[in-house]
Amino acid sequence: MNRVAVLGAGNGGLSIGAFLSLSGCSVQLFDKFPAAIEQIREAGGVTLKGVSRTGFAKFDMITTNVVEAIEGCRMILVVTPAFAHRELAETMAPYLDRGQKIVLNPGRTAGAIEFHMRTKVINPKADFVVAEAQSLIYACRKTGPAEVTIFKVKNEMALAALPATRTEEVLQELKPFYPQFIAAENVLETSLLNIGAIFHPTPALLNIARIENKELFEYYMDGITPCVSNVLERIDAERVAVAKAFGVKTMTCIEWLEDVYGSPHTDSDSIYEAVQKQDGYRGIKAPQNPFARYISEDVPMSLVPLAEFGRITGVPTPTMNLMIDLANLIHQKDYRAEGRTLARLGLEGVFLDDLKKFVATGTPLP
């Protein structure tokens, strides 16, 4: 981790990159879009504020060339929207030949599976391991042209590699900087514990008029009302049922808040009540773009694969499907066609037991 590539110059990428820079790492920052890094390049880095390390964090490389960014780096931290994972895998595949460790922060649902499968299609002899975090470790926002603020650091965060037999070696690399990462059983556990699938698309869809009118409101505190919470709880129950059918450990959304933030939930009867007690979400503003990532990323990369995993296990997911249909109608898109379906993941027709062996040991799928 002395030299690390951070792919993505958004809220999470800048926060992770700045923290690692201030922790003594040489950071090579990549973003696909020149405008995203123009002012950061002029400054030579970013100022980090908030509850973690603070100060000016210098980046040793700031580039729009991903191959240049990963050169010489044993650890590659991907902190982009999940819909970029496929393209990054395809671009980097010819250069993943030195046992590099790639961590998706987060993978959303089936991120590591998609990255692994696409890389192997392009370069069957690729030598690498890909892991995924269950969520982003920070609640953070870019708060200036070359400034980022970390509002809250999660107490612990599940992480798994593909195959799971290599999870520990990834954790050992991260441990000096991120002791919060703990081993999940496998990437099915991290994928099915995708709380972003609960908190992101549905509140955005049900507050779409406020967002489209550029109303200023707090996304979590104002956007998750008791009625919105009712829908979230149905989606969460479907997610938990799918995870149980896979036989992997999971927790409810309310339990997750306690686990990662330490927020009291024992007397919370709803997601609404649990969120209202969560100081880490206070001050986080709602997006003002109706095509924001909370829908355009989290529907195809979270809800779609969760519903698809429901198909493998025979668990019905009517509320997830309702939200996917609503997003398709509002955005006039087909998020199922462009999302992480079983077919696009290379898993169509795969039996449950074979999939579980694949994520556990890397046993090739039949």
Side-chain angles (χ1 to χ4, degrees):
M1 288 279 289
N2 289 335
R3 189 176 182 187
V4 59
V6 176
L7 310 186
N11 301 321
L14 291 180
S15 296
I16 287 174
F19 174 82
L20 290 174
S21 174
L22 291 171
S23 300
C25 293
S26 173
V27 175
Q28 300 181 178
L29 179 72
F30 159 84
D31 199 279
K32 178 180 178 179
F33 301 102
I37 60 173
E38 181 180 355
Q39 291 171 304
I40 298 166
R41 179 179 278 152
E42 290 175 1
V46 295
T47 298
L48 180 61
K49 296 183 175 180
V51 299
S52 187
R53 297 182 187 272
T54 59
F56 181 76
K58 177 181 177 292
F59 296 145
D60 293 296
M61 180 187 294
I62 303 170
T63 180
T64 56
N65 185 325
V66 69
V67 175
E68 185 179 65
I70 67 174
E71 185 177 356
C73 295
R74 183 173 61 188
M75 177 65 71
I76 301 168
L77 302 179
V78 179
V79 203
T80 64
F83 47 66
H85 293 166
R86 189 181 188 92
E87 180 183 341
L88 286 172
E90 293 170 348
T91 303
M92 291 193 291
Y95 308 95
L96 298 179
D97 56 4
R98 302 189 307 279
Q100 294 101 322
K101 296 177 178 64
I102 299 145
V103 181
L104 308 179
N105 297 271
R108 294 302 173 206
T109 297
I113 293 174
E114 180 179 55
F115 196 102
H116 177 93
M117 299 292 272
R118 291 309 301 165
T119 300
K120 288 295 188 178
V121 166
I122 303 296
N123 182 7
K125 295 184 178 180
D127 176 20
F128 72 103
V129 60
V130 61
E132 65 179 30
Q134 177 265 319
S135 182
L136 186 64
I137 199 163
Y138 298 133
C140 57
R141 286 291 185 272
K142 185 179 178 183
T143 47
E147 177 186 288
V148 66
T149 301
I150 296 174
F151 296 100
K152 188 82 171 179
V153 182
K154 295 179 174 70
N155 291 338
E156 61 180 39
M157 182 53 54
L159 179 143
L162 179 62
T165 51
R166 301 193 66 181
T167 297
E168 191 56 36
E169 65 183 90
V170 176
L171 288 175
Q172 288 304 311
E173 293 267 359
L174 294 169
K175 190 174 182 179
F177 305 97
Y178 288 112
Q180 298 93 340
F181 282 120
I182 59 171
E185 180 182 352
N186 54 46
V187 295
L188 291 177
E189 180 182 332
T190 51
S191 286
L192 291 166
L193 192 54
N194 178 5
I195 299 300
I198 313 303
F199 278 153
H200 293 170
T202 299
L205 289 166
L206 299 184
N207 285 278
I208 196 68
R210 302 173 77 183
I211 291 171
E212 193 166 20
N213 285 326
K214 301 188 184 303
E215 182 179 329
L216 294 175
F217 68 98
E218 291 196 16
Y219 183 77
Y220 293 96
M221 296 304 175
D222 300 328
I224 299 178
T225 63
C227 286
V228 172
S229 176
N230 290 340
V231 184
L232 301 185
E233 286 157 26
R234 287 286 299 274
I235 295 174
D236 196 44
E238 291 172 7
R239 177 191 61 79
V240 169
V242 172
K244 288 183 176 179
F246 267 102
V248 299
K249 182 177 68 174
T250 195
M251 61 185 77
T252 68
C253 187
I254 296 174
E255 291 168 339
W256 180 86
L257 285 171
E258 164 68 15
D259 191 59
V260 302
Y261 286 128
S263 58
H265 74 275
T266 52
D267 58 347
S268 295
D269 295 324
S270 67
I271 289 176
Y272 166 75
E273 290 184 11
V275 166
Q276 290 299 309
K277 296 172 183 176
Q278 180 45 256
D279 290 338
Y281 288 148
R282 295 193 185 278
I284 296 180
K285 302 300 182 184
Q288 295 188 320
N289 178 356
F291 294 91
R293 285 170 46 183
Y294 283 176
I295 301 173
S296 63
E297 175 186 7
D298 283 284
V299 171
M301 303 298 153
S302 295
L303 288 184
V304 166
L306 283 173
E308 289 285 277
F309 281 171
R311 284 209 294 128
I312 291 180
T313 57
V315 173
T317 56
T319 318
M320 289 185 193
N321 285 319
L322 178 63
M323 289 298 109
I324 297 168
D325 290 339
L326 181 58
N328 287 342
L329 182 60
I330 287 174
H331 282 181
Q332 294 292 285
K333 300 194 65 138
D334 186 351
Y335 282 124
R336 288 188 179 86
E338 62 187 66
R340 287 176 176 162
T341 60
L342 297 179
R344 282 174 63 82
L345 291 170
L347 300 179
E348 189 70 71
V350 170
F351 290 108
L352 180 57
D353 286 345
D354 291 330
L355 178 56
K356 291 170 77 171
K357 289 177 185 176
F358 169 63
V359 300
T361 64
T363 303
L365 292 168

